[in-house]
Amino acid sequence: MFNRTRSLQAAATLASISLLAGCGVFTSESTDEEKPIVVGTTSAPSTLDPAAAWDGSWELYRNVYQTLVSYPTGAATPEPDAAEACEFTDESNTAYHCKLREGLKFSDGDALDAKAVKHSIDRIGKIGVKGGPSGLLGSLERVTTNGDRDVTFHLKKSDATFPFVLATPAMSIVDPQEYPADSLRKSSKIVGSGPYVLDSYEEGKTAELTRNQNYKGFAERKNNAVTIRYFQDSAAMVKALRKKQIDVTFRGLTSQDIVDLQGPEAAEAKLQLVEGAGTETRFLVFNPKDQWAKNPAVREAFAQVIDRGAIAHNIYKDTVEPLYSMVPTGVAGHTTGFFDTYGKPSAAKAKKILTEAGITRPVPLTLWYATDRYGSVTKPEFEEIKRQLNDSGLFDVTVKGRPWKQFEEGFRKGEYPVFGRGWFPDFPDPENFIAPFVGERNNLGTPYASPRITDQLLPQSRRETDRGAVAEEFEKAQEILVEDARLLPLWQGKQYVAASEEIAGGERALDPSTIMTMWELSRKTSW
């Protein structure tokens, strides 16, 4: 689920492509009588407690909770939100101070003060959910307060990316009266201070949001209410869009959906498509505890066979681009390391790698994927990977899938030899495409010890406040990733928002971490 350089501005600045000839640009202001805007997505929250989530749950959090700093429309670096001002107070970037806005309240009327901020951040580490957001706070030593409005974050070491961490929805401020300090909140309700209040929630089905009257922040709400509908697959979601049962979709469109939404039938249905550069990535993870996946020769042969171009063209209809490094195109530190090392797909070269390692029979591997997390095209994608590997004669691959919650439990227990993960950046910085996946405790639930990355290159990059100047450190880190082949990048995606012609704001609604800010959506009042 976050990024940090000027080059990533494209992730938030989208070019609107209308499917209606002659359609102009319209704006509107909300009215009290306006009916809720209904938004469809295939990415449902895994939990309502920010201390437990480092995943797509953030899409809901951004709209109902509040963070000290966040991304106003068009911003690529964090700016104050619940805070009035924030800054590093020392030259070593180890003390970050924020002063809160005056008169902040939670949606239930309780005061939001510096103690609430400290409580919210402290509980993340104290609860320590496995695979949760505590991994984002590795540089934090302690939080102190001074009065009701001043809070300071004392870091163990220099970390110029800390403001980006504070901008992630994982750092949402919660009410100490409602969210225990040492355990997760067990409730289907949310008490936050964001632009909206969660009026009702049905897990996996709907979330109904209405304007939070206590909100103080930068968001200018262009509607009074939003209903989010969660779909199991994109086909049902697009069908609902065509039938006017929903107004907007923002996560889970398949490549075929996108192609269709650029055709004449979509124009007849009065639909529009908004396209923008994206930093979503997809990659494979190899489990070092598996008898085959732990073998470097197996991983290298796998990397030598995989044909990213075929996946992008045959499965995704060229709506994604082949990716040869963990850091995507457009982000400082991007390389083409895997292409430089392996070149074009070659079964002959892969066979040589295996033979030299003493492996002469097809390698049995099971590839796992989440059936309900990244869209219904994930299954065909994994079948294509299976086909490529098995056609080489060097592998005997089986593909299996599970719903996200079971899938996540499985990879955290180390059950899968190889599994797929998708990544939507927490914040716009190259660190966020590497740091979450290395170290003994990481977002993948699969330990990956790499001391040179975790103890040298990342700390060195964190001393640099100019995030555009850290390319060298991340290029070196990716040389290590290519050599290890523990993580295998596959593709980089674009961002698409499909909506009815009545909806405005789609081109402004995705922030730099590609989370939809629902407050930007509105209904057009005139033509």
Side-chain angles (χ1 to χ4, degrees), residues 1 43-48 53 55-62 169 373:
M1 59 227 266
S43 182
S46 61
T47 173
L48 297 183
D55 58 25
S57 304
W58 291 10
E59 293 171 339
L60 177 62
Y61 299 172
R62 178 65 81 206
R373 195 62 175 177

Side-chain angles (χ1 to χ4, degrees), residues 4-5 332-333 429-430 460-461 464-474:
R4 37 293 195 188
T5 66
D429 191 277
Q460 184 176 337
S461 75
E464 178 57 68
T465 54
D466 179 1
R467 302 308 294 164
V470 296
E472 183 177 352
E473 287 85 352
F474 288 100

Side-chain angles (χ1 to χ4, degrees), residues 54-281:
W54 195 353
D55 58 25
S57 304
W58 291 10
E59 293 171 339
L60 177 62
Y61 299 172
R62 178 65 81 206
N63 293 278
V64 295
Y65 289 110
Q66 193 175 21
T67 47
L68 286 170
V69 293
S70 189
Y71 301 97
T73 300
T77 56
E79 297 181 17
D81 188 10
E84 180 180 279
C86 291
E87 64 178 352
F88 280 107
T89 58
D90 62 336
E91 294 182 358
S92 61
N93 296 332
T94 58
Y96 192 70
H97 172 264
C98 290
K99 178 176 282 294
L100 297 176
R101 295 175 185 262
E102 287 191 66
L104 291 174
K105 292 182 180 181
F106 289 104
S107 55
D108 63 357
D110 289 347
L112 191 167
D113 56 16
K115 291 181 180 178
V117 175
K118 175 176 169 58
H119 170 86
S120 302
I121 304 302
D122 285 349
R123 70 190 293 266
I124 295 172
K126 185 175 292 186
I127 297 172
V129 173
K130 188 175 182 180
S134 60
L136 289 167
L137 294 172
S139 63
L140 180 64
E141 182 178 19
R142 70 187 190 280
V143 184
T144 60
T145 62
N146 181 18
D148 292 337
R149 296 178 58 201
D150 290 279
V151 57
T152 301
F153 301 89
H154 304 272
L155 309 183
K156 303 172 187 174
K157 49 196 174 184
S158 299
D159 188 358
T161 70
F162 191 72
F164 293 97
V165 172
L166 284 183
T168 67
M171 305 300 138
S172 295
I173 306 168
V174 298
D175 188 342
Q177 303 301 316
E178 299 288 341
Y179 293 77
D182 55 3
S183 63
L184 297 176
R185 187 171 191 256
K186 297 178 174 63
S187 174
S188 61
K189 298 183 181 297
I190 281 176
V191 179
S193 60
Y196 296 96
V197 173
L198 180 65
D199 267 359
S200 67
Y201 178 74
E202 189 173 359
E203 184 175 359
K205 294 186 178 180
T206 60
E208 296 185 6
L209 315 182
T210 56
R211 182 181 289 237
N212 178 8
Q213 301 303 324
N214 290 329
Y215 171 70
K216 288 187 176 182
F218 60 66
E220 297 181 8
R221 291 161 293 190
K222 297 179 173 62
N223 61 68
N224 285 327
V226 173
T227 296
I228 304 174
R229 285 186 56 188
Y230 300 109
F231 293 85
Q232 292 295 312
D233 61 72
S234 65
M237 182 172 67
V238 173
K239 183 178 180 181
L241 179 66
R242 292 181 181 278
K243 289 188 172 183
K244 308 296 183 182
Q245 295 169 344
I246 63 175
D247 300 305
V248 186
T249 69
F250 77 102
R251 188 77 77 201
L253 291 173
T254 68
S255 54
Q256 189 59 55
D257 294 331
I258 294 165
V259 171
D260 291 345
L261 285 166
Q262 297 179 65
E265 291 184 5
E268 291 177 7
K270 297 183 178 180
L271 300 177
Q272 58 179 314
L273 186 70
V274 175
E275 176 187 327
T279 50
E280 171 192 3
T281 62

